Amino acid sequence: MRGFGLTLRAGATAAVVLAITATASPVAAATGGVNYWGYLFGRAHLSPSVMPIPGTVVQVASSNTTLYALTATGQVYAWGTGTLGQLGDGRTTNSSTPVLVDFPAGVSIANLPTDVMPNAGALAVDTDGNVWAWGDDVHGVDCMGDTQFLSPVEVPLSHVTLISSASGHALYEAGGTLFACGGNSLGELGDGKTAAHTGPVAVTGLAGQTVVGLYSSSQDAYALTASGALYAWGGNAEDELCNGSSVSDSDVPVQVPFTDSAPVTQVAAGGSLATNGSLLVGLADGTFWACGSDTFGQLGDGGSTNRALPIEVHPPAGVIYKVIAMSGATAYAVDSNGNVWAWGWDVEGQVGNGVKQTAVLTPLEVLSGQGVTQMSATAQDVVAFS
């Protein structure tokens, strides 16, 4: 996600973080399992807490209102705000404990979006490559108009392998074609235009390339190809397209350049508004790079100056990052020992070090000894990482 504005959309939370540990099981729930912190249930959680989940958790995801956990049996549990149907259990009530998302009989979920969930809704891919959506379909991100679903409904796309959604747009890789739905005022659908679409429209400029990763933030989108090239499109108010251009936005994908020739292997997009955005990227040679907004130190370079082109950023001495994530203006990394580091914006406890601060300019270790393997983070707009 990216440089964070302080104005939140009605019903939005400031930040929530999920971390799944290698020991996620009912037996280990008291000491491991799913940890969360940030703003949830109407208050800030300044340090990690454990949420026991029935069954063995294999993936976590989050929107800016609600948290999700996928189990090894293909079931999804949700907790948090449910007023717009985000819990997917047919009701519009909140829940401080996990409830089972009510999929039709016979549907088994294979994965949740790694980056990210819709603003106040959710998406999931089943074992047959079909996508299910529930909650608020703002701007038509579910490709089915602009409505609300209290229980999961099937999205009109098939053979889906990748999905990503934030704020009012969504991306779907389906049968070898990259589609987009939703709002498009800054070109975030990538179809060469700025008209909104409540049904699927093909992203242009990536023909002949195999997309292996999709990432979204407020009004930006990113695609990683099998060759390790990274493309960006949408708004560029805070240099989040990361290509050195002074152009305010791009309605078609543009490649993000790196002075290091190693292929891109990891991407974490940050941001919450059209006027902010940042990017954290990992390369195959083990280096990490950042660009875009740095208002709260979320780029991890120790300063607060925006970067129009990727710059290399370094973990603390002796630390090796393995997994990266971003929320609105906060960045996260899991090291080789499964410990979580965080830096950036911290007014609602999203750094997770037990206090509220405006900005944390250098990485702090906030969760140790849990063997974390996946993370998902969000802010005003949906940002999910795993």
Side-chain angles (χ1 to χ4, degrees):
M1 303 82 173
R2 43 240 32 99
F4 206 104
L6 301 183
T7 302
L8 294 180
R9 175 177 169 173
T13 61
V16 175
V17 179
L18 281 174
I20 178 173
T21 71
T23 56
S25 68
V27 174
T31 58
V34 174
N35 291 269
Y36 69 94
W37 61 96
Y39 193 87
L40 190 66
F41 311 134
R43 65 182 181 88
H45 296 256
L46 304 184
S47 300
S49 300
V50 173
M51 178 62 73
I53 306 293
T56 300
V57 176
V58 296
Q59 192 179 20
V60 291
S62 59
S63 72
N64 74 322
T65 64
T66 315
L67 310 182
Y68 303 91
L70 172 65
T71 70
T73 57
Q75 296 178 307
V76 177
Y77 287 87
W79 66 102
T81 301
T83 53
L84 297 175
Q86 301 98 307
L87 297 179
D89 63 347
R91 301 180 298 169
T92 55
T93 55
N94 302 335
S95 179
S96 60
T97 58
V99 299
L100 189 62
V101 177
D102 186 21
F103 291 97
V107 172
S108 179
I109 299 304
N111 63 78
L112 303 173
T114 56
D115 187 315
V116 291
M117 287 289 198
N119 185 66
L123 297 166
V125 181
D126 69 22
T127 53
D128 293 320
N130 303 311
V131 179
W132 297 84
W134 63 98
D136 188 17
D137 186 15
V138 61
H139 301 306
V141 297
D142 298 340
C143 306
M144 294 180 288
D146 188 350
T147 186
Q148 177 180 312
F149 305 102
L150 302 187
S151 297
V153 295
E154 191 172 349
V155 172
L157 289 167
S158 59
H159 306 292
V160 174
T161 60
L162 301 168
I163 49 178
S164 177
S165 178
S167 186
H169 71 279
L171 305 171
Y172 302 83
E173 196 289 324
T177 300
L178 184 56
F179 294 99
C181 301
N184 196 27
S185 61
L186 298 181
E188 55 266 41
L189 297 189
D191 65 338
K193 303 174 183 178
T194 55
H197 290 274
T198 56
V201 60
V203 176
T204 190
L206 294 175
Q209 301 198 62
T210 300
V211 174
V212 297
L214 293 175
Y215 317 90
S216 298
S217 58
S218 180
Q219 288 182 269
D220 294 286
Y222 306 86
L224 174 62
T225 70
S227 65
L230 179 62
Y231 290 84
W233 61 96
N236 198 36
E238 294 293 308
D239 300 310
E240 61 266 40
L241 295 185
C242 300
N243 67 340
S245 173
S246 60
V247 176
S248 60
D249 53 67
S250 178
D251 55 19
V252 296
V254 294
Q255 188 170 354
V256 177
F258 295 87
T259 56
D260 186 329
S261 61
V264 174
T265 57
Q266 291 192 69
V267 180
S272 60
L273 302 172
T275 54
N276 61 40
S278 55
L279 202 62
L280 183 61
V281 178
L283 305 187
D285 60 6
T287 61
F288 290 88
W289 300 71
C291 47
S293 177
D294 199 21
T295 305
F296 299 98
Q298 62 265 39
L299 297 188
D301 62 346
S304 55
T305 301
N306 291 4
R307 304 286 184 168
L309 288 167
I311 61 166
E312 187 176 359
V313 294
H314 302 277
V319 174
I320 300 174
Y321 291 158
K322 291 296 185 180
V323 178
I324 54 174
M326 292 195 82
S327 63
T330 314
Y332 307 90
V334 180
D335 68 23
S336 56
N337 294 315
N339 304 315
V340 176
W341 299 75
W343 59 96
W345 199 56
D346 191 30
V347 297
E348 293 293 350
Q350 56 266 51
V351 166
N353 64 328
V355 298
K356 289 184 179 182
Q357 300 170 252
T358 301
V360 176
L361 300 184
T362 56
L364 298 176
E365 189 174 358
V366 297
L367 185 60
S368 305
Q370 295 289 310
V372 172
T373 58
Q374 298 179 4
M375 288 192 66
S376 175
T378 186
Q380 180 180 352
D381 298 289
V382 178
V383 185
F385 310 89
S386 70

